[in-house]
């Protein structure tokens, strides 16, 4: 995945070579982290900043399609999921100067950076999942809350296009559809003030394993020039680090994401260790810069609410922060990416189930699901079986899976089990759904017969009766095995927040 120089805007249909400005959108997302990370000190100074904060709706899709709310743990605590969105908006002279070509001024913004921040229910760990902007996904029908414009559902669409289809609430809806993770809040920022933010922090240490000069004979590259080892970058140089693609590893946007993760971890460590940021005047300047670029949902629409959030985030030690990238594979033409089969679904499941990605979790238990008495005998329970083996990864569905499982149920005495012949669904994990409390016992009885865990029996208004959706985790065979491996896939490229040894590999063609 390569790209052109800064200042060129790439359409979703362009070739894979036109990849500019990515880092600016990521840097804007970092502003949101800084706001919640610094608002705790002297927050009374910041009440007047409320007017700077812009607000938008949390989810612009049909409420019935929302992911189920996160389940509480045994202590009654619930996880917190926040989607950080970096917009490429060019709605101001400053943003336009940073963003590039005149032809893109005031065009619809895109969500070129998307990071899901998951804070565990007990606030002992934090997981961050980045999604490459080129990921082809299904975007649900969304309604623009300002204009009332309705955008029809789409498939195989670049993830960053979700923002221009009704605002950040559509990006949230897309994430919930893809991952099954309920999102509690979003924070969206543009890229104005990136340089001043880096200066206000006082510099962020970064490392390269050789001298690097990100520059080509045709004028491509960020211009980053560093000596081998660790350098504290700020201002323009920090921006160059975040923009660099040519010179890091294989020159792809995935390598650049890795460099961004290193910068973000280092920045968090720097913020927590830098005593100068306890100075109210410096914090005020930092907050002024950040809040002017910030858009949040109503649930985070005041500095007080951001302060409350910062208190929750500050409970997580740096050593328990894990940065990851959604496992991905190239499309057949090599121009876009898709979620990697199995690995992406597994990463999403770990986040849904509040399992720490650093592998250092104590055994977490959720409140035991209440069991109910079946309302009908097995042979009288009406069961529909649907094929969901296409999964969130967009892999082709396995033909005949609904019929196979329906026959399996019939063989176990569920005479009224039938296969639904409608179009395949996308379901990572096999699930049994029921519409009302009186059918909960029937649904649990069906799940038990198939070996599906009780935790995968869900109430849903999307079904008319007990419905089995055979997921991508059961694409073959007649015995269901629940996933019990809770290790983070190596393809997620996990990076621990306390790792001070991380160093970007330099492409030998870009040394000096």
């Amino acid at each position: 995945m390569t790209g052109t120089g800064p200042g060129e805007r790439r359409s979703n249909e362009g070739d894979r070579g036109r990849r500019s400005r990515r880092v600016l959108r990521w840097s804007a997302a970092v502003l949101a982290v800084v706001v919640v990370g610094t608002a705790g000190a002297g927050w009374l100074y910041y009440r007047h900043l409320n007017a700077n904060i812009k607000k938008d709706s949390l989810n612009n899709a049909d409420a019935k399609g929302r992911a189920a709310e996160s389940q509480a743990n045994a202590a009654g605590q619930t996880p917190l999921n926040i989607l950080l969105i970096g917009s490429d908006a060019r709605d101001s002279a400053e943003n336009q100067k940073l963003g590039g070509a005149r032809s893109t001024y005031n065009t619809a913004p895109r969500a070129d950076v998307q990071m899901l921040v998951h804070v565990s229910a007990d606030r002992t760990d934090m997981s961050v999942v980045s999604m490459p902007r080129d990921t082809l996904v299904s975007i649900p029908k969304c309604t623009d809350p300002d204009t009332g414009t309705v955008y029809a559902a789409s498939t195989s669409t670049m993830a960053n296009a979700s923002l221009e289809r009704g605002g950040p609430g559509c990006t949230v809806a897309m994430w919930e559809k893809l991952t099954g993770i309920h999102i509690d809040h979003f924070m969206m920022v543009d890229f104005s003030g990136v340089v001043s933010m880096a200066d206000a922090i006082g510099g962020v240490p970064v490392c390269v394993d050789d001298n690097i000069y990100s520059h080509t004979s045709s004028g491509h590259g960020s211009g980053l020039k560093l000596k081998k080892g660790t350098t504290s970058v700020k201002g323009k140089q920090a921006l160059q680090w975040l923009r660099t693609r040519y010179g890091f590893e294989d020159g792809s946007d995935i390598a650049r994401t890795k460099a961004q993760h290193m910068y973000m971890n280092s920045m968090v460590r720097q913020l927590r260790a830098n005593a100068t940021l306890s100075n109210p005047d410096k914090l005020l300047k930092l907050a002024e810069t950040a809040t002017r670029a910030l858009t949040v949902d109503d649930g985070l629409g005041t500095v007080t609410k951001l302060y409350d959030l910062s208190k929750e985030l500050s409970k997580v030690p740096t050593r328990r922060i894990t940065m990851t990238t959604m496992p991905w594979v190239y499309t057949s033409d090599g121009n876009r990416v898709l979620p990697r089969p199995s690995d992406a679904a597994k990463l999403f499941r770990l986040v849904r189930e509040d399992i720490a990605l650093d592998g250092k979790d104590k055994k977490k238990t959720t409140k035991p699901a209440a069991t109910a008495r079946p309302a009908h005998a097995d042979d009288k329970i009406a069961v529909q079986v649907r094929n969901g083996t296409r999964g969130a990864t967009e892999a082709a569905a396995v033909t005949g899976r609904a019929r196979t499982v329906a026959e399996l149920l019939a063989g176990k005495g569920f005479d009224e089990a039938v296969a639904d012949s409608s179009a395949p669904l996308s379901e990572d994990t096999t699930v049994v759904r029921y519409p009302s409390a009186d059918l909960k016992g029937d649904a649990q009885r069906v799940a038990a017969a198939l070996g599906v865990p009780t935790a995968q029996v869900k109430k849903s208004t999307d079904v008319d009766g007990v419905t089995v959706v055979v997921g991508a985790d059961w694409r073959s065979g007649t015995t269901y095995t629940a996933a019990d491996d809770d290790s983070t896939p190596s393809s997620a490229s996990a990076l621990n927040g306390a790792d001070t040894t991380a160093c970007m590999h330099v492409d030998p063609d870009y040394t000096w």
Side-chain angles (χ1 to χ4, degrees):
M1 299 172 70
T2 59
T4 60
E8 297 183 28
R9 180 182 179 98
R10 187 188 68 149
S11 70
N12 284 353
E13 293 75 29
D15 63 73
R16 85 188 250 203
R18 302 171 62 191
R19 314 237 179 182
S20 61
R21 312 177 331 258
R22 194 82 40 88
V23 70
L24 294 176
R25 273 70 91 196
W26 180 88
S27 301
V30 172
L31 293 177
V33 177
V34 173
V35 170
V36 299
T38 61
W43 69 275
L44 290 174
Y45 288 100
Y46 307 139
R47 286 186 174 180
H48 70 283
L49 299 177
N50 286 342
N52 288 348
I53 304 172
K54 298 177 286 292
K55 294 180 283 293
D56 213 316
S57 60
L58 177 61
N59 193 304
N60 296 343
D62 190 335
K64 292 195 301 183
R66 291 212 61 185
E69 293 188 7
S70 301
Q71 191 173 359
N73 63 14
Q77 303 164 305
T78 55
L80 186 62
N81 296 308
I82 307 163
L83 186 64
L84 302 183
I85 303 171
S87 161
D88 71 351
R90 290 172 174 76
D91 52 2
S92 70
E94 187 176 6
N95 278 336
Q96 181 62 22
K97 183 179 179 180
L98 290 169
R102 291 189 183 91
S103 61
T104 65
Y105 185 71
N106 265 345
T107 54
R110 295 180 180 137
D112 276 1
V113 168
Q114 300 169 40
M115 292 183 178
L116 179 64
V117 177
H118 171 85
V119 188
S120 65
D122 60 9
R123 305 302 189 252
T124 60
D125 64 85
M126 181 189 300
S127 302
V128 180
V129 180
S130 295
M131 182 192 298
R133 72 187 288 269
D134 309 21
T135 306
L136 297 182
V137 297
S138 294
I139 301 177
K141 182 178 75 173
C142 293
T143 302
D144 190 313
D146 297 323
T147 66
T149 303
V150 177
Y151 296 87
S154 65
T155 58
S156 295
T157 303
M158 275 178 59
N160 70 337
S162 58
L163 185 61
E164 61 187 2
R165 299 167 60 86
C170 194
T171 304
V172 169
M174 179 270 291
W175 267 81
E176 290 200 355
K177 178 179 176 64
L178 175 67
T179 67
I181 299 167
H182 182 86
I183 295 174
D184 303 290
H185 300 291
F186 76 81
M187 302 177 74
M188 181 176 74
V189 285
D190 55 28
F191 46 72
S192 62
V194 173
V195 173
S196 59
M197 281 291 301
D199 285 338
I201 292 170
V204 174
V206 295
C207 177
V208 288
D209 67 359
D210 204 346
N211 296 345
I212 180 174
Y213 182 33
S214 178
H215 179 76
T216 69
S217 58
S218 58
H220 296 161
S222 71
L224 178 70
K225 192 171 186 178
L226 295 176
K227 292 183 178 180
K228 177 181 178 179
T230 300
T231 304
S232 182
V233 296
K234 60 181 180 178
K236 181 179 178 181
Q237 200 171 45
L239 198 61
Q240 290 173 333
W241 173 274
L242 296 170
R243 287 185 52 235
T244 295
R245 184 172 58 256
Y246 294 107
F248 282 158
E249 301 190 348
D250 61 357
S252 72
D253 287 304
I254 305 301
R256 181 163 62 180
T257 296
K258 181 178 178 181
Q260 292 166 356
H261 286 171
M262 288 184 186
Y263 182 94
M264 190 170 182
N265 277 340
S266 185
M267 184 191 69
V268 171
R269 293 194 300 268
Q270 194 75 357
L271 282 169
R272 293 189 176 187
N274 193 340
T276 63
L277 289 181
S278 63
N279 183 310
D281 291 335
K282 292 186 177 181
L283 278 173
L284 183 59
K285 181 179 178 180
L286 189 61
E288 288 278 8
T289 301
T291 55
R292 282 196 300 267
L294 186 64
T295 301
V296 299
D297 63 282
D298 289 331
L300 289 179
T302 67
V303 173
T304 301
K305 291 176 179 177
L306 290 173
Y307 169 65
D308 291 339
L309 176 61
S310 76
K311 290 194 298 184
E312 296 301 298
L313 297 180
S314 66
K315 296 175 182 177
V316 181
T318 306
R319 67 180 183 279
R320 297 302 310 280
I321 297 174
T322 306
M323 304 287 298
T324 65
T325 299
M326 179 198 74
W328 55 274
V329 293
Y330 282 119
T331 54
S332 58
D333 60 7
N335 289 332
R336 300 290 182 265
V337 300
L338 293 169
R340 179 184 291 273
S342 300
D343 281 6
K346 181 180 182 182
L347 185 66
F348 298 151
R349 176 183 68 81
L350 294 176
V351 174
R352 278 197 308 270
E353 297 180 5
D354 196 24
I355 298 170
L357 301 184
D358 61 5
K360 300 176 182 178
D361 228 349
K362 293 181 179 179
K363 185 65 176 179
K364 295 178 179 177
T365 58
T366 57
K367 290 181 177 179
T371 57
R373 185 185 301 275
H376 305 90
D378 289 356
D379 62 350
K380 300 298 183 183
I381 298 177
V383 186
Q384 281 197 334
V385 183
R386 298 204 63 183
N387 187 347
T389 55
R390 180 162 62 91
T393 61
E394 309 289 344
V398 178
T399 303
R401 283 305 289 164
R403 181 177 64 254
T404 297
V405 175
E407 291 173 351
L408 175 63
L409 281 170
K412 293 177 177 291
F414 293 86
D415 297 342
E416 296 191 25
V418 296
D420 187 327
S421 60
S422 55
L425 301 173
S426 294
E427 200 76 49
D428 289 329
T429 304
T430 297
V431 65
V432 182
R433 297 192 170 103
Y434 62 94
S436 55
D438 60 309
L439 292 179
K440 181 177 182 179
D442 289 358
Q444 290 177 338
R445 179 72 191 99
V446 170
L450 293 174
V452 175
T454 303
Q456 292 166 221
V457 179
K458 309 286 186 180
K459 184 178 179 180
S460 172
T461 57
D462 292 337
V463 297
D464 297 323
V466 176
T467 303
V468 176
V469 183
V470 185
D473 61 343
W474 197 12
R475 292 173 63 87
S476 62
T478 56
T479 301
Y480 180 73
T481 302
D484 56 3
D485 176 9
D486 292 340
S487 62
T488 300
S490 59
S491 56
S493 302
L495 180 65
N496 185 269
D499 185 355
T500 60
T501 66
C503 203
M504 285 303 297
H505 175 63
V506 176
D507 182 338
D509 291 339
Y510 290 85
T511 59
W512 56 278

